[in-house]
Amino acid sequence: MKRTLDRAPFFLIAVLFLLLSTSADAFAQTKSKALPRVNRQSAAQGAPASQLKDPAVERKIEALLKQMTLDEKIGQMNQFSFGAPTGPGTSRSEYGEMIAAGKLGSVFNLTGAKETNQLQRAAMTKSRLKIPIIFGLDVIHGYRTTFPIPLALAATWNPELVQQTASAAAHEAAAEGVRWTFSPMIDISRDARWGRIIEGAGEDPFLGSAMARAYVMGYQGARLSDPGSIAACAKHFVGYGAAEAGREYNTTQIPERLLREVYLAPFNAAVNAGAATLMSAFNDLNDVPASANPFTIKQILKKEWGFRGFVVSDWTSIKEVIAHGIANDGPTAARKAVLAGVDMDMEGELYISTLAAQVKSGAVPVSVIDDAVRRILRVKFALGLFDNPYANEKVLPANLDAAHVDLARTAAEQSFVLLKNEKGVLPLSAAAKTIAVIGPLADDADAMLGAWGGKGDAKNVITLQASLQDFADKHHMRLLHEKGTEIRGGTDAGIPAAVNAARQADVVLLAVGESAGDMTGEAASRTVIDLPGLQTKLLEAVAAAGKPTVLIVFSGRPLTLTPVVDKVNAVVQAWHPGIQAGPALWRVLSGQANFSGKLTVSMPRAVGQLPLYYNALNTGRPHLKVDLTHPPTNGDEKYVSRYIDELNAPLFPFGYGLSYTKFDYSRVSISAKSLSSESLNADSQSLKVSVDVKNTGERDGVEVAELYLGERGTSISRPVRELKGFQRVALKAGESKQVEFTVGKEQLRFWNIDMRQIVEPGIVTVWVGPDSQTENSAEFSIGK
Ligand code: NOJ
């Protein structure tokens, strides 16, 4: 496609824009169909959890366990980082010796076939029992090919695509000896102050569960022992995303029902999809640190859910239970963690240094150690490490896999969310002969890599500026570029030049937002989440030039755009989109591709609204239509659940996103008006919900149709509505399709007043529409 454009004289571009814009989705689909080496296993196929249940393997584990000394067992439970710390520092060099002595079961932050093989050789040739090392790494949104950040990937509402990105990352990582990723991060977060909101799927447990499954299936493939498969690690178990006030590592208080309905749901999905490992979290949960929490790990995860893989702590999170206040020394911390069910100690050195003595004294039963070791060996066997411990040392191509690069572009394209498009300023008019690209994010390759860029290299990033320059050079278009100011700090010295560029332009693209590593991700909570530095000042000055202005926001969280959104004509939420940032953006801005992404977090108007989420309870005095033009004039306006200085509603709601075309929904139709809770609980009854979705515009497009349910009259208060289904529907201009959902036990049950997960009688509203504020609804009742 790009080559076609290269040869086209400029006067043909207008025609080309039109042609391309109508075939955009067909193009995107052809691209993704061509992807090789992608595990396309579906949820229904092959009961992945059974990979950790092979009787033949269990016999091998028992035989091995019998030969192991206590020290060798505890060695398996010990994990060290190989330099490159992602937490408080480590400066070790004795890895080889420790492995040979059977004192280390896992190493992370080491990559490269030769490098990992070297340590593996110590395990396989020098250690007494020749138990292979499992090498781990944070492969979060790609390995060498950096995909959009997970929050952006979630905005595609396309689990199949996310599964493909995870599969691509798995193949790349495995080729360099890494057979275990500390991903997916599936913490639900309702608070955009928390920097790690970038790593998850947003605020919703249903969507979060779909994404959790997608990552697990993508990483682990059809069989964990396949050479391109790596073990997943669902993290952080559990509740980390509810950090009070959005402050990193902060305490969480989550009542059991909320825990089960919201925060545990994606973990349950990951475990059911076969996730081989989980990571225990840093936070204190209901007064018990998550890394020494028997209720969540031993009771729920291992007993109720039957999880057979192993749990690794987070970085020194076992040691940190001392700071949390439930242990006064290392041995107690280690004992509480291991008894709670944490099987492997990441970086803490407490298992290796204190458990043997505690087993000997009887403080820790050896059966607890055996259980942990069994789990670790089980995953090592499932990965095929005993038979194939070494990575292939063949020389890897210097260039990225072209199919993975295409996938990165498709993923980025689908992750962009069009929030506003006034007077059709987008797609860009082919008549625009001068484009001004302004802002500190237009050419910032590092920021495009996001906070967990893996082995991503800024050299492989094509920025927006680079894409536009390339296009402009070839087509004699004039491109003006001014940075204007820095992302943070900086001065306003560059603003006059930026305004000058804007004045000369037919259209202005303003690329603003957050940097990646220092402003988003771990240890990057913010109390103010507007455009940092002098970017708002830059925006105001540039917008005052009066040219059609498109705001492109690169960020790892929803920002409070309230003060700026009215000053520009269009707003694109672009996240941190990965190596193909520029080409993907250019395709949607120019209309070669259509927007289809939708928000998976409510975008706050003001930071004071946080935590903010659509699936909230109603309150006894609900008030959504607050009028801020005057102070409350009577009791009905005043004594309701509201703020006196801001609306309750988000600036843009969960599920929201525009397209270049328009979609009409027919009224919701349901196949029954009343159901019985008894039949629903027996899973012998369900109903069909359907709507016709019509593309009434002139371009092809993809609409995400969203199904929400809300029940009243139940034993406990239920959220006003909850997402219970979604479908991406590709519609040609003028085309109409029926979209159907099934609603039954799975969608209607909840943890009731007796803490039983059942369907209760009540009145249910069903909504189907384009976002979480849709009013397109029908109602049915559930009787006895
Ligand atoms: C700490 C982070 O919380 C966790 O997500 C990560 O996997 C580990 N460090 C290892 O890097």
Side-chain angles (χ1 to χ4, degrees):
M1 191 60 61
K2 191 161 161 283
R3 250 175 270 123
T4 320
L5 284 175
D6 291 350
R7 289 195 299 268
F10 183 64
F11 64 86
L12 282 180
I13 303 294
V15 183
L16 218 48
F17 269 8
L18 276 176
L19 286 175
L20 289 172
S21 58
T22 51
S23 61
D25 286 302
F27 179 77
Q29 276 161 23
T30 337
K31 282 286 173 194
S32 60
K33 258 187 223 135
L35 291 169
R37 297 201 278 122
V38 163
N39 304 314
R40 290 183 185 281
Q41 169 217 24
S42 81
Q45 277 173 319
S50 66
Q51 293 187 55
L52 302 177
K53 256 190 196 157
D54 181 343
V57 170
E58 294 301 309
R59 281 194 293 276
K60 287 186 193 167
I61 293 172
E62 293 310 316
L64 195 47
L65 209 53
K66 280 206 187 90
Q67 299 175 54
M68 294 173 83
T69 64
L70 179 61
D71 286 343
E72 282 167 339
K73 288 177 185 174
I74 294 169
Q76 285 302 308
M77 300 164 70
N78 184 34
Q79 184 194 45
F80 284 168
S81 167
F82 193 93
T86 49
T90 159
S91 51
R92 297 194 185 90
S93 55
E94 75 283 21
Y95 302 94
E97 293 84 333
M98 300 246 340
I99 291 169
K103 290 184 173 161
L104 198 51
S106 171
V107 172
F108 67 115
N109 286 334
L110 176 67
T111 60
K114 272 207 182 96
E115 291 78 359
T116 53
N117 284 351
Q118 198 184 335
L119 284 192
Q120 194 67 295
R121 235 165 261 127
M124 302 316 285
T125 62
K126 297 200 180 133
S127 77
R128 196 175 72 88
L129 293 173
K130 308 195 178 1
I131 301 175
I133 295 293
I134 176 171
F135 293 99
L137 188 77
D138 289 287
V139 180
I140 309 287
H141 50 108
Y143 182 70
R144 290 176 69 212
T145 307
T146 310
F147 298 107
I149 56 170
L151 188 60
L153 286 176
T156 66
W157 294 64
N158 190 343
E160 289 78 20
L161 182 75
V162 172
Q163 184 177 339
Q164 289 176 24
T165 65
S167 173
H171 282 88
E172 291 184 1
E176 294 197 32
V178 174
R179 296 295 307 283
W180 181 22
T181 174
F182 306 132
S183 172
M185 191 283 216
I186 49 180
D187 292 313
I188 298 293
S189 176
R190 298 167 158 186
D191 194 328
R193 290 173 294 185
W194 192 48
R196 302 198 79 167
I197 196 170
I198 88 149
E199 289 177 57
E203 73 193 35
D204 185 72
F206 183 87
L207 186 77
S209 299
M211 293 300 162
R213 277 190 291 274
Y215 281 105
V216 171
M217 293 193 305
Y219 290 134
Q220 299 196 166
R223 266 177 314 276
L224 272 168
S225 57
D226 288 344
S229 292
I230 63 178
C233 180
K235 68 187 190 186
H236 304 82
F237 199 71
V238 57
Y240 187 21
E244 278 180 7
R247 175 158 56 82
E248 181 62 304
Y249 312 126
N250 206 5
T251 305
T252 64
Q253 291 289 343
I254 311 174
E256 185 182 341
R257 182 173 297 105
L258 183 64
L259 189 66
R260 289 185 183 270
E261 293 283 357
V262 174
Y263 294 92
L264 283 169
F267 287 94
N268 189 234
V271 168
N272 289 338
T277 75
L278 264 78
M279 184 184 292
S280 66
F282 285 128
N283 55 294
D284 188 298
L285 170 66
N286 301 336
D287 312 328
V288 183
S291 284
N293 195 315
F295 177 60
T296 52
I297 304 174
K298 212 168 135 188
Q299 169 64 29
I300 296 183
L301 173 67
K302 293 186 174 175
K303 214 160 157 205
E304 282 182 34
W305 298 355
F307 173 66
R308 293 176 60 80
F310 71 86
V311 176
V312 62
S313 77
D314 203 340
W315 185 290
T316 61
S317 67
I318 294 176
K319 203 181 253 172
E320 291 168 26
V321 309
I322 299 174
H324 281 297
I326 66 157
N328 289 332
D329 51 40
T332 312
R335 187 173 67 250
K336 289 204 168 181
V338 81
L339 292 180
V342 179
D343 305 303
M344 188 181 274
D345 178 5
M346 180 190 281
E347 266 300 316
E349 295 194 43
L350 282 183
Y351 280 6
I352 192 78
S353 63
T354 76
L355 283 186
Q358 301 199 74
V359 172
K360 284 175 196 145
S361 75
V364 173
V366 73
S367 59
V368 171
I369 306 293
D370 285 349
D371 180 63
V373 177
R374 259 187 210 108
R375 291 168 179 276
I376 294 165
L377 295 179
R378 194 173 283 142
V379 172
K380 290 186 175 183
F381 271 111
L383 282 166
L385 288 175
F386 282 87
D387 296 329
N388 296 303
Y390 300 109
N392 188 333
E393 290 188 19
K394 70 172 185 237
V395 180
L396 295 171
N399 291 335
L400 297 179
D401 183 318
H404 293 184
V405 174
D406 280 352
L407 181 60
R409 194 190 55 245
T410 305
E413 248 168 63
Q414 293 190 17
S415 76
F416 300 140
V417 185
L418 181 63
L419 296 172
K420 172 178 177 176
N421 190 17
E422 198 179 68
K423 298 187 201 137
V425 62
L426 288 178
L428 297 173
S429 159
K433 295 199 169 44
T434 304
I435 298 185
V437 188
I438 295 171
L441 268 303
D443 203 22
D444 186 332
D446 284 329
M448 299 304 109
L449 288 176
W452 278 113
K455 295 275 276 189
D457 188 337
K459 283 205 303 277
N460 291 320
V461 171
I462 305 176
T463 62
L464 175 62
Q465 158 71 11
S467 272
L468 286 176
Q469 193 65 63
D470 186 43
F471 186 83
D473 289 349
K474 285 167 186 150
H475 305 295
H476 317 291
M477 187 193 274
R478 202 164 150 235
L479 188 72
L480 306 172
H481 176 220
E482 291 293 339
K483 195 169 175 189
T485 185
E486 302 300 323
I487 297 175
R488 300 168 86 175
T491 71
D492 56 8
I495 294 182
V499 173
N500 191 30
R503 287 205 183 107
Q504 296 172 58
D506 299 312
V507 63
V508 178
L509 303 179
L510 247 176
V512 295
E514 297 179 301
S515 50
D518 59 339
M519 296 199 78
T520 72
E522 187 175 351
S525 292
R526 299 178 62 193
T527 58
V528 177
I529 55 169
D530 57 8
L531 291 172
L534 298 173
Q535 293 183 84
T536 301
K537 188 169 180 190
L538 169 70
L539 181 149
E540 283 168 350
V542 167
K547 296 301 174 75
T549 301
V550 179
L551 185 66
I552 303 167
V553 183
F554 296 94
S555 64
R557 50 163 70 77
L559 300 178
T560 46
L561 299 177
T562 320
V564 299
V565 79
D566 290 337
K567 300 196 161 83
V568 293
N569 306 95
V571 181
V572 175
Q573 177 63 48
W575 317 108
H576 290 139
I579 52 166
Q580 283 282 293
L585 268 167
W586 180 237
R587 277 175 46 81
V588 287
L589 295 175
S590 62
Q592 295 172 58
N594 204 341
F595 284 92
S596 62
K598 294 196 174 185
L599 295 176
T600 65
V601 275
S602 304
M603 199 166 245
R605 289 172 188 275
V607 82
Q609 291 178 310
L610 297 174
L612 181 67
Y613 49 99
Y614 80 95
N615 46 353
L617 302 185
N618 205 24
T619 84
R621 296 183 176 193
H623 204 57
L624 285 175
K625 303 214 162 57
V626 171
D627 182 353
L628 290 175
T629 58
H630 59 79
T633 51
N634 55 45
D636 286 350
E637 286 183 358
K638 182 167 171 64
Y639 295 103
V640 288
S641 179
R642 61 168 287 183
Y643 301 100
I644 56 170
D645 55 359
E646 188 48 277
L647 303 178
N648 291 2
L651 185 60
F652 298 105
F654 175 85
Y656 177 85
L658 302 172
S659 156
Y660 288 149
T661 187
K662 288 225 161 339
F663 301 102
D664 270 7
Y665 284 73
S666 69
R667 298 209 47 182
V668 177
S669 128
I670 49 177
S671 62
K673 277 298 215 180
S674 63
L675 298 176
S676 117
S677 56
E678 214 174 285
S679 310
L680 282 162
N681 283 315
D683 216 3
S684 61
Q685 199 180 35
S686 62
L687 63 72
K688 299 273 182 223
V689 176
S690 59
V691 291
D692 292 327
V693 185
K694 180 166 189 193
N695 180 345
T696 56
E698 280 158 19
R699 287 167 183 270
D700 299 352
V702 174
E703 167 68 342
V704 181
E706 302 164 29
L707 167 87
Y708 295 88
L709 298 179
E711 187 175 3
R712 306 180 306 283
T714 43
S715 63
I716 50 147
S717 309
R718 299 283 294 128
V720 282
R721 60 176 75 180
E722 295 173 298
L723 182 76
K724 290 292 174 182
F726 62 88
Q727 287 178 36
R728 281 176 58 89
V729 193
L731 290 165
K732 303 230 164 297
E735 194 186 3
S736 174
K737 276 186 190 157
Q738 194 190 57
V739 179
E740 192 178 83
F741 299 94
T742 302
V743 172
K745 176 180 176 178
E746 188 60 32
Q747 292 72 27
L748 290 164
R749 66 183 179 164
F750 60 90
W751 291 88
N752 77 353
I753 194 147
D754 305 317
M755 283 310 289
R756 287 167 58 219
Q757 194 184 23
I758 58 165
V759 181
E760 280 193 350
I763 297 170
V764 180
T765 310
V766 186
W767 295 264
V768 183
D771 60 56
S772 59
Q773 288 183 348
T774 179
E775 289 305 333
N776 188 26
S777 65
E779 209 169 85
F780 66 91
S781 63
I782 302 178
K784 279 206 132 200

